[in-house]
Amino acid sequence: MASLSLSFHKHSLPSLLPRQSPKALSSSHNLVILPKSSHSQFYSVKLSSSSSVSLPSSNSSSRMTFIFAKVNKGGVPPSFTLKDQEGRNVTLSKFKGKPVVVYFYPADETPGCTKQACAFRDSYEKFKKAGAEVVGISGDDPSSHKAFAKKYRLPFTLLSDEGNKVRKEWGVPADLFGTLPGRQTYVLDKNGVVQLIYNNQFQPEKHIDETLKLLQSI
Amino acid sequence: MSILSQPQYNPLPKSLLNTAHHHQCLRIRIYCSTTTAAAAATTTTATATKPKYNSQHHLVMAPTPPPQITTPPLPPPPSPTNQQRVMLDDPTLKSTWSHRAWLATGCTTVAVSLLKCVTGAVDSHTWQEPILAGLAGYILADLGSGVYHWAIDNYGDASTPVFGSQIEAFQGHHKYPWTITRRQFANNLHALARVITFTVLPVDLAFNDPVLHGFVALCSGCIMFSQQFHAWAHSTKSRLPQPVVALQDAGVLVSRLQHADHHRPPYNNNYCIVSGVWNRVLDEYKVFEMLEMVVFFKLGVRPRSWSEPNSEWIQEETQTEIPLLK
């Protein structure tokens, strides 16, 4: 059962991540399993416990690979390797041994994302003091990230999730019936376990407050 | 601001003293201007010999002759800069007969709708529903004005079909906001009046329901006059009729303060210009930001308000008390 904290009235929207019926699968498909509660909220959803996942019945003659598409609190998210703003490959495992804040945002040079990036920048010393790294991920290419980071003097890493593959793997819910990429932040502890998931599309600065609050308590 | 020097004072016949003083006061009032060093020096000298009055308000000169005040000739009133003069004389600010014709047709269609509402309400003895419908129309007009204003401010340009001239006008308005107060009445309203004519006329011809006409009359009337409310929101309190100021202060018409926020960077709020009642809700819940994000992700088009203000947006002239030339 998820506990929710809300600051304004919410618009509860179903996630539009693709759902596949298990019966329709062929042997070469990867099954994407989604729990029932994949909601995105406009204003402040903090998920503090995991949802249950039901597995389909398997066909003995088919070979299936199960991908758990949602990252939950207490779980270890799937690793990724993405390019940063300098074009270098960066893997999630690079940050093991220290807390890391992974924030998914819609796009560079949009008002909310700029506010969020600048808020992370302005509080970066506090994150460093807590021993944490900050990593931003969006679907923009490395050159866009480079320009964005340079313009706003962002001291942290921005990763290019072109095609939004990692976003889908982690189960970041979309907003407004799938028209807007969601804004969701994960805090991973030094063991790589998710301790906080915070979603808030239109109050980007709150992501910094919530993540710092948690980092100062772990 | 300083009052420019008074001229040399000579004793006059009693019958003419009041008149002379009255003219003197008028002259001082008209020629108020920004302070210059020369004027300041002259003012200091001039105020030393302020005339005195007896109980009947007749000017009484001191027995000893007052010191002669020799002052430089009055500087001419502040003339507008060349650009301001060109803008004040700009023929595009004046009403043409075409503007007046469209305004007349727009007003006629709204008036017919209102008349149908009133006569229908009288005939059917129902007042509550038409009045409520009118109120709904007034409130919706404010929302409509905001959405249209947001779209025009952020998307398209002069070459956009149908809306190009409006977009260009709104961009010009951001650069020179005060010129809207210099547009003549029909010039300011004719574009909206044309739209209202085409949309309300079919309703006038096809329907007689007083509730429908209550909504249509108020909604369309407020939309048509929204540019006038907009112009009043750019004017100064001293230049507005008292009833208009009262309506602005009461929140019935968009206030000058609220609309001024729209003309400050990042130019992305307070878009509604009828009453402004929707502005707080739309800005607090970031409705326009949400729409901008949707348009960006679906169509790849960035709104103008996302970019750094460029020269087209930045207000070039602050409003000054430019003397009315006509």
Side-chain angles (χ1 to χ4, degrees), chain A residues 9 42-43 106-107 109-112 115 176 179-181 201-202, chain B residues 268 284-286 289-294 296-298 302 306 308:
Chain A
H9 67 268
F42 280 169
Y43 302 107
E109 295 284 1
T110 56
K115 273 186 213 154
L176 270 184
T179 52
L180 289 188
Q201 178 67 251
F202 290 106
Chain B
N268 66 353
E284 194 171 313
Y285 291 98
K286 301 191 196 278
E289 186 177 324
M290 184 172 61
L291 290 174
E292 286 161 4
M293 292 283 278
V294 171
F296 174 65
F297 280 103
K298 283 296 167 192
R302 294 170 64 90
W306 284 8
E308 292 291 333

Side-chain angles (χ1 to χ4, degrees), chain A residues 87-150:
Chain A
R88 298 177 295 226
N89 282 329
V90 173
T91 53
L92 183 61
S93 54
K94 173 190 169 184
F95 303 106
K96 205 159 185 182
K98 54 180 154 180
V100 59
V101 175
V102 179
Y103 80 94
F104 288 85
Y105 63 96
D108 295 336
E109 295 284 1
T110 56
C113 306
T114 303
K115 273 186 213 154
Q116 186 178 27
C118 292
F120 271 119
R121 174 199 65 197
D122 296 341
S123 296
Y124 193 61
E125 285 308 310
K126 292 181 188 167
F127 284 99
K128 294 299 274 179
K129 206 172 172 182
E133 268 301 335
V134 175
V135 176
I137 301 180
S138 78
D140 301 294
D141 60 38
S143 60
S144 170
H145 281 336
K146 189 171 181 178
F148 186 50
K150 188 180 175 187

Side-chain angles (χ1 to χ4, degrees), chain A residues 136-183:
Chain A
I137 301 180
S138 78
D140 301 294
D141 60 38
S143 60
S144 170
H145 281 336
K146 189 171 181 178
F148 186 50
K150 188 180 175 187
K151 184 174 176 181
Y152 294 103
R153 294 171 288 111
L154 304 179
F156 47 83
T157 303
L158 296 177
L159 299 177
S160 295
D161 181 21
E162 289 182 276
N164 292 311
K165 188 163 160 281
V166 174
R167 180 181 279 268
K168 285 173 196 160
E169 279 176 1
W170 282 42
V172 178
D175 288 322
L176 270 184
F177 305 100
T179 52
L180 289 188
R183 189 187 304 282

Side-chain angles (χ1 to χ4, degrees), chain A residues 1-203:
Chain A
M1 197 165 68
S3 63
L4 308 174
S5 67
L6 299 169
S7 52
F8 290 104
H9 67 268
K10 61 185 178 181
H11 301 279
S12 216
L13 299 166
S15 168
L16 287 192
L17 292 169
R19 295 172 184 264
Q20 290 177 327
S21 163
K23 292 177 186 175
L25 291 173
S26 69
S27 57
S28 59
H29 273 88
N30 289 332
L31 173 61
V32 174
I33 297 171
L34 295 171
K36 286 179 186 174
S37 54
S38 301
H39 293 299
S40 168
Q41 314 282 351
F42 280 169
Y43 302 107
S44 182
V45 168
K46 200 182 341 185
L47 297 179
S48 55
S49 62
S50 57
S51 315
S52 60
V53 176
S54 57
L55 296 174
S57 54
S58 58
N59 184 332
S60 58
S61 63
S62 66
R63 199 188 291 176
M64 295 182 190
T65 307
F66 295 97
I67 300 170
F68 287 90
K70 183 163 176 137
V71 170
N72 297 311
K73 185 176 180 285
V76 176
S79 187
F80 57 72
T81 302
L82 297 173
K83 287 199 185 326
D84 70 3
Q85 59 262 47
E86 300 301 334
R88 298 177 295 226
N89 282 329
V90 173
T91 53
L92 183 61
S93 54
K94 173 190 169 184
F95 303 106
K96 205 159 185 182
K98 54 180 154 180
V100 59
V101 175
V102 179
Y103 80 94
F104 288 85
Y105 63 96
D108 295 336
E109 295 284 1
T110 56
C113 306
T114 303
K115 273 186 213 154
Q116 186 178 27
C118 292
F120 271 119
R121 174 199 65 197
D122 296 341
S123 296
Y124 193 61
E125 285 308 310
K126 292 181 188 167
F127 284 99
K128 294 299 274 179
K129 206 172 172 182
E133 268 301 335
V134 175
V135 176
I137 301 180
S138 78
D140 301 294
D141 60 38
S143 60
S144 170
H145 281 336
K146 189 171 181 178
F148 186 50
K150 188 180 175 187
K151 184 174 176 181
Y152 294 103
R153 294 171 288 111
L154 304 179
F156 47 83
T157 303
L158 296 177
L159 299 177
S160 295
D161 181 21
E162 289 182 276
N164 292 311
K165 188 163 160 281
V166 174
R167 180 181 279 268
K168 285 173 196 160
E169 279 176 1
W170 282 42
V172 178
D175 288 322
L176 270 184
F177 305 100
T179 52
L180 289 188
R183 189 187 304 282
Q184 184 149 294
T185 298
Y186 300 81
V187 178
L188 281 57
D189 64 18
K190 56 188 180 183
N191 300 317
V193 175
V194 175
Q195 296 298 334
L196 173 73
I197 302 171
Y198 184 76
N199 187 298
N200 194 325
Q201 178 67 251
F202 290 106
Q203 293 173 295

Side-chain angles (χ1 to χ4, degrees), chain A residues 197-215:
Chain A
I197 302 171
Y198 184 76
N199 187 298
N200 194 325
Q201 178 67 251
F202 290 106
Q203 293 173 295
E205 298 98 337
K206 287 206 165 189
H207 287 249
I208 287 76
D209 299 332
E210 293 297 325
T211 50
L212 272 176
K213 215 188 308 181
L214 178 87
L215 283 170

